[in-house]
Amino acid sequence: MKELIEIYNRFADTYHQSRGIFDMSQIFKDFYTILNMEKGHLLDLGCGAGEPIPALFIEKGWKVTGVDFSPKMIALANFYQPKVRTILSDISEVDFENEQFEAVTAIYSLFHLEKEKHRPLFEKIFRWLKPGGKALFTYADRHYTGAESFSGYKEFMGEKLFYSHFTPLELRNILMNIGFDIIREDYRDIGGEIFLWMTVGKP
Ligand SMILES: C[S@@+](CC[C@H](N)C(=O)[O-])C[C@H]1O[C@@H](n2cnc3c(N)ncnc32)[C@H](O)[C@@H]1O
């Protein structure tokens, strides 16, 4: 994963400057409506420069913790979103006490983890969420990789990046097996890229 850290360090500024191409306003609106909570604590995994999702939660008066393994991305998050508490770590290695968060998001980040790490991370997210808490994450599927199940490299912003995903059915089974309720499962085209957006809840 050292390679991926270096790539994100290299294009952190450009990524941040062009982040507006991928409009998150509807994603945020839908998730915030589902959360239906005045305030809480959000954990954002792969927070990048802290925008737009962490920033939108801060605006609503939420406490936000962001985790990212790119020092450059974390530096941008600290600069642009100083209210976000940042942690420099691999999202598959970070850990928190049980039932700390009302919400967990992983926006365009989880698909960079090897498949074997998906289930253990979902298990942790389940443990970290308070009962009634919700999680939203972007998951890759055949629309992006051309394969039902994938583990390999794809080009993004002129670099070869590692991506992986199970089939949507396997993903659903993993999540339900852990105990999550599946609240929404949407294929959304944002900025010309189609991903599966999953919203799940801890009963
Ligand atoms: C495509 S960017 C998305 C950033 C942000 N979530 C957004 O919506 O703009 C992916 C981010 O995930 C981070 N990332 C990827 N794999 C990671 C991992 N295993 N641990 C921590 N951060 C990771 C990258 O450094 C990068 O900042």
Side-chain angles (χ1 to χ4, degrees):
M1 281 292 147
K2 195 166 157 264
E3 205 179 284
L4 201 54
I5 299 175
E6 282 162 8
I7 291 172
Y8 272 109
N9 275 338
R10 262 205 308 280
F11 61 43
D13 284 317
T14 316
Y15 179 85
H16 180 237
Q17 279 154 22
S18 50
R19 182 63 182 81
I21 298 167
F22 302 97
D23 180 13
M24 293 289 107
S25 51
Q26 195 59 47
I27 294 281
F28 174 71
K29 212 183 279 174
D30 291 346
F31 187 53
Y32 203 73
T33 304
I34 287 169
L35 279 171
N36 194 23
M37 288 174 210
E38 278 289 297
K39 298 241 165 78
H41 191 174
L42 168 78
L43 171 66
D44 187 45
L45 298 168
C47 64
E51 294 170 354
I53 296 294
L56 290 165
F57 274 87
I58 291 284
E59 262 175 42
K60 294 281 187 188
W62 281 54
K63 201 172 150 187
V64 178
T65 297
V67 181
D68 204 287
F69 65 7
S70 153
K72 191 71 206 289
M73 285 292 197
I74 289 287
L76 289 176
N78 290 340
F79 181 76
Y80 289 106
Q81 295 302 326
K83 287 189 178 161
V84 174
R85 171 192 171 224
T86 53
I87 300 173
L88 178 67
S89 170
D90 191 308
I91 57 175
S92 63
E93 287 166 14
V94 73
D95 204 0
F96 299 95
E97 296 285 311
N98 295 351
E99 301 184 0
Q100 291 295 298
F101 303 99
E102 278 77 13
V104 177
T105 47
I107 312 294
Y108 300 123
S109 56
L110 210 151
F111 47 43
H112 287 317
L113 286 182
E114 297 91 342
K115 257 194 272 186
E116 313 77 66
K117 293 184 176 173
H118 291 193
R119 185 183 172 117
L121 182 55
F122 290 133
E123 284 170 348
K124 284 195 201 168
I125 293 173
F126 190 84
R127 185 162 61 68
W128 298 333
L129 277 172
K130 291 183 182 172
K134 314 274 187 287
L136 166 75
F137 60 90
T138 324
Y139 206 75
D141 85 325
R142 66 185 164 76
H143 292 95
Y144 193 67
T145 63
E148 284 303 310
S149 180
F150 185 81
S151 194
Y153 288 80
K154 281 218 24 114
E155 195 171 315
F156 177 69
M157 289 176 71
E159 300 266 12
K160 290 259 182 216
L161 271 65
F162 177 82
Y163 289 86
S164 86
H165 62 82
F166 287 105
T167 68
L169 181 63
E170 285 168 335
L171 172 67
R172 228 173 285 133
N173 286 339
I174 290 170
L175 293 167
M176 290 192 302
N177 199 264
I178 291 171
F180 281 113
D181 292 329
I182 301 204
I183 300 170
R184 273 189 80 148
E185 200 175 347
D186 305 307
Y187 290 93
R188 299 191 191 230
D189 181 338
I190 302 176
E193 287 179 349
I194 301 174
F195 284 102
L196 175 55
W197 289 83
M198 294 291 290
T199 310
V200 294
K202 175 169 173 169

